[in-house]
Amino acid sequence: MKPLRLLIILCLAIFLFSVPRPVALVKISKGTPGLVGILKAHQIDVIQELKTCFLARAERDEMASLRTYGISVSVLDRDSRGNEYFLVPSLSPARLSAVSAAGNLKPVEPNLYLFWTDQGDPLALLPADVERKPLPRSSILPFLKTYTRPESVPLGLKLNDMIPAIINQVSRANLRAYVQGLQDFQTRYSTTANCEAAGQFILGFFQSLGLEAGFQPFTIGGISTRNVVAEIQGETDPEDIVIICGHYDSTSGEAEVSAPGADDNASGVAAVMEAARILAGYPLDFTVRFIAFSAEEQGLYGSHYHSAVAREGLERIIGVVNLDMISYTEDPSEDLDVIVNDASWWLAERAGLVADAYTGLAVRKIVDASFVYSDHSPFWDEGYPALCGIEDANPNNPYYHTTGDTVDTLNFDFFEDAARTALAALSDLAQPVRVGYPRTPAGLEAESATYASAFTAIKNVNLTWQAVSDAAGYNVYRSTYPHLGHVKISSSPVSTAQFTDRALEAGTSYYYAVTAVWPGGLESNFSRQVESPAETARYEQPESGQEAAPVIWRWR
Ligand SMILES: [Zn+2]
């Protein structure tokens, strides 16, 4: 071969190998048993969970190997490189054609579309009052799990006798004054100076309570805005954090001039402010963080920023109570909708039990990963449990995102009940320290050792915690569900701050908490919960060319 021809072939080969292969944006339908394990085994770059499917970035060979399991994979965009995608809900026919004229619009699920542009800023092309959620850029694969939910197991709550006195302090007059105060800024659209002033108002309020508080500034598309964050440090395990939050920015068809946003979402922020005012007077086992987010209406940017920083700092967030539109109803018997994803199901269960126990407000629990248009959703993407409390999953407020969303349209009977229920749910997680009871044991840790043979695998779980000086002993509790249904497994109180739970099924997750007991039998609050995670199922890939189903090893 002539040297010149060799050189050409060599250059061609280098060129072909160096051209990056297109990575498609795909929809992976749910329904295949063991799907999460298969996605993990193939390290698929999953970026969004929805009700019926996952959205992921995948190359051709990855799609091919998923299809060998019988998984339905469809391409939404052949080449995802450099594109920014937004989830948007279904719109009126007129809006729909306006949005699809501005870019690409593809249906993903009933009532859910994907929007992106080939050129131009997609954020500028979407009308200001259309709900949207940008697709995350980073993988959510590490946080995915298969969850088992009990059908009808009683999952009793540990009641705290401080909570009734706490929630009875919620003042209707205060809620009204906070909403009025926020509405008086005319607009809180996050690019405006008025929004900045509203942030200052909320910060001043937190500071007047004597709380540690500050701004969390961030930038989106050249616009600088800021979240407002305040904290009460926990007395027992301050590194364990419960969040109550709502967005303070607002929007409308004339967003830069007039967006009173009373229901959406001065109402949620007012409930956060009232919770801060009341809890400022109480010692709590765990840290409570109060947040008013900005730039929610642009695309959940404030909560996205906050949750990403939290994940990067390996923060231990027990749960997030996000409030968005909790004050409008025409129906006097309105219930509060509490929406969660699969991973946060226990949080909705607990909110329901809390409402039954403390406020009597009816709670409608909805598990729907496609409910993404509020500040809980970025926490889901970072693997944190979160719920959204809202007057209705399909808001029927006629003033929604209009200049007519004002304080005089709100129903304060419902609003007060919703604020009390949210504060009860928050207090239930943060655990007020009870006077006249033993201190809550701090620093619970779990370590497991697994013993496997060909047929079975078992584990021992070793628990340790910090001793409570005047405790006569400790009770140890275990559940197979997070934060619910704990059963005492120590037949009599153990005398040292250590316990080993033996011969457990290795393929099951166990959740532990301990309490301290006084000689008379009085028992403390639960300690923080620790998990001994299930050993993951093992998958054998089919040999190349074979279409056979995978061999799935489970310890059973
Ligand atoms: Zn909102």
Side-chain angles (χ1 to χ4, degrees):
M1 205 183 281
K2 287 179 184 165
L4 184 64
R5 190 177 293 172
L6 192 68
L7 190 69
I8 291 170
I9 289 172
L10 199 67
C11 287
L12 201 64
I14 291 170
F15 174 73
L16 283 178
F17 275 101
S18 63
V19 172
R21 283 184 292 174
V23 180
L25 185 76
V26 301
K27 166 181 165 174
I28 301 168
S29 295
K30 286 182 177 175
T32 305
L35 176 60
V36 167
I38 296 166
L39 297 174
K40 288 196 179 226
H42 290 271
Q43 285 295 299
I44 301 298
D45 186 10
V46 180
I47 53 173
Q48 177 72 53
E49 178 172 17
L50 295 171
K51 189 171 194 167
T52 65
C53 61
F54 292 104
L55 303 184
R57 286 180 292 229
E59 293 183 9
R60 289 175 69 98
D61 52 341
E62 291 176 311
M63 289 185 243
S65 37
L66 288 179
R67 287 180 181 132
T68 63
Y69 297 91
I71 298 167
S72 153
V73 183
S74 56
V75 174
L76 294 167
D77 185 11
R78 285 197 180 287
D79 190 356
S80 69
R81 288 171 297 175
N83 285 348
E84 194 177 356
Y85 301 96
F86 293 84
L87 299 173
V88 294
S90 73
L91 305 161
S92 68
R95 287 327 266 303
L96 212 55
S97 59
V99 172
S100 52
N104 307 291
L105 194 67
K106 267 212 176 156
V108 178
E109 275 186 349
N111 195 27
L112 192 139
Y113 292 82
L114 192 69
F115 172 79
W116 75 99
T117 55
D118 295 322
Q119 46 195 306
D121 177 9
L123 214 50
L125 290 167
L126 268 178
D129 53 347
V130 169
E131 294 174 301
R132 78 287 300 272
K133 187 210 170 184
L135 281 191
R137 289 169 187 275
S138 53
S139 179
I140 62 165
L141 191 68
F143 312 125
L144 293 181
K145 266 186 177 185
T146 305
Y147 293 91
T148 46
R149 267 184 275 160
E151 286 300 325
S152 61
V153 184
L155 294 170
L157 206 61
K158 195 171 171 68
L159 295 178
N160 185 310
D161 54 19
M162 307 280 285
I163 292 179
I166 288 172
I167 64 173
N168 280 340
Q169 294 172 56
V170 170
S171 150
R172 185 180 295 217
N174 284 352
L175 294 174
R176 183 184 287 276
Y178 307 147
V179 171
Q180 185 71 57
L182 289 164
Q183 177 182 313
D184 287 346
F185 289 99
Q186 310 298 330
T187 178
R188 302 185 305 281
Y189 193 59
S190 48
T191 57
T192 61
N194 305 51
C195 180
E196 210 165 294
Q200 191 65 55
F201 165 75
I202 299 165
L203 179 68
F205 178 84
F206 286 145
Q207 287 171 335
S208 75
L209 303 171
L211 301 184
E212 259 178 70
F215 287 124
Q216 181 180 43
F218 61 95
T219 308
I220 41 145
I223 303 151
S224 294
T225 182
R226 52 209 187 172
N227 299 328
V228 190
V229 185
E231 267 188 8
I232 299 174
Q233 290 289 306
E235 302 273 319
T236 302
D237 283 307
E239 307 222 310
D240 290 56
I241 303 161
V242 186
I243 290 176
I244 186 167
C245 58
H247 69 91
Y248 73 96
D249 66 311
S250 63
T251 193
S252 75
E254 301 156 56
E256 306 204 344
V257 187
S258 169
D263 186 33
D264 185 13
N265 181 35
S267 67
V269 174
V272 172
M273 291 164 75
E274 189 64 345
R277 181 188 71 81
I278 297 166
L279 287 184
Y282 291 88
L284 305 159
D285 278 330
F286 310 120
T287 292
V288 175
R289 185 178 294 165
F290 306 88
I291 313 174
F293 288 120
S294 188
E296 190 265 2
E297 302 289 6
Q298 268 84 2
L300 320 177
Y301 288 100
S303 50
H304 170 75
Y305 184 78
H306 190 93
S307 58
V309 169
R311 174 52 68 194
E312 215 170 283
L314 302 175
E315 286 190 340
R316 296 170 54 109
I317 297 175
I318 300 169
V320 177
V321 176
N322 173 45
L323 305 170
D324 197 352
M325 304 176 72
I326 55 164
S327 60
Y328 181 89
T329 171
E330 281 171 345
D331 178 1
S333 63
E334 178 66 292
D335 51 16
L336 181 70
D337 286 7
V338 167
I339 303 156
V340 289
N341 64 350
D342 277 331
S344 315
W345 70 269
W346 64 268
L347 199 50
E349 289 295 330
R350 236 168 117 151
L353 293 168
V354 160
D356 288 347
Y358 300 111
T359 71
L361 178 64
V363 162
R364 190 158 74 105
K365 297 169 279 186
I366 301 170
V367 179
D368 182 359
S370 291
F371 191 87
V372 293
Y373 309 106
S374 187
D375 291 313
H376 55 283
S377 166
F379 286 95
W380 291 350
D381 297 336
E382 298 292 347
Y384 290 121
L387 67 76
C388 181
I390 186 166
E391 60 216 19
D392 232 308
N394 305 306
N396 56 8
N397 183 342
Y399 309 108
Y400 170 65
H401 284 185
T402 75
T403 55
D405 181 7
T406 54
V407 68
D408 49 286
T409 66
L410 307 184
N411 179 325
F412 277 84
D413 289 331
F414 174 70
F415 186 7
E416 190 185 334
D417 279 348
R420 289 171 70 240
T421 302
L423 177 54
L426 175 71
S427 307
D428 168 60
L429 296 173
Q431 299 186 178
V433 173
R434 293 178 299 165
V435 182
Y437 289 84
R439 288 305 310 267
T440 310
L444 178 64
E445 303 275 2
E447 243 176 55
S448 67
T450 305
Y451 307 90
S453 72
F455 304 105
T456 181
I458 58 163
K459 63 179 172 184
N460 291 348
V461 178
N462 190 40
L463 301 168
T464 55
W465 58 92
Q466 289 167 29
V468 174
S469 60
D470 58 354
Y474 306 91
N475 288 330
V476 181
Y477 291 83
R478 183 183 69 206
S479 177
T480 48
Y481 303 110
H483 296 281
L484 282 169
H486 283 83
V487 173
K488 200 197 297 184
I489 55 168
S490 49
S491 48
S492 58
V494 299
S495 55
T496 57
Q498 187 275 330
F499 185 82
T500 303
D501 195 16
R502 290 176 198 284
L504 299 159
E505 215 179 294
T508 302
S509 290
Y510 296 95
Y511 303 87
Y512 294 92
V514 299
T515 60
V517 188
W518 272 347
L522 269 188
E523 193 179 22
S524 73
N525 289 343
F526 274 148
S527 68
R528 76 179 180 199
Q529 176 197 270
V530 291
E531 179 184 0
S532 167
E535 300 287 341
T536 45
R538 291 177 181 175
Y539 291 83
E540 248 177 38
Q541 291 183 35
E543 283 173 31
S544 58
Q546 279 189 324
E547 295 285 307
V551 180
I552 300 174
W553 293 89
R554 282 189 188 287
W555 285 303
R556 280 273 156 224

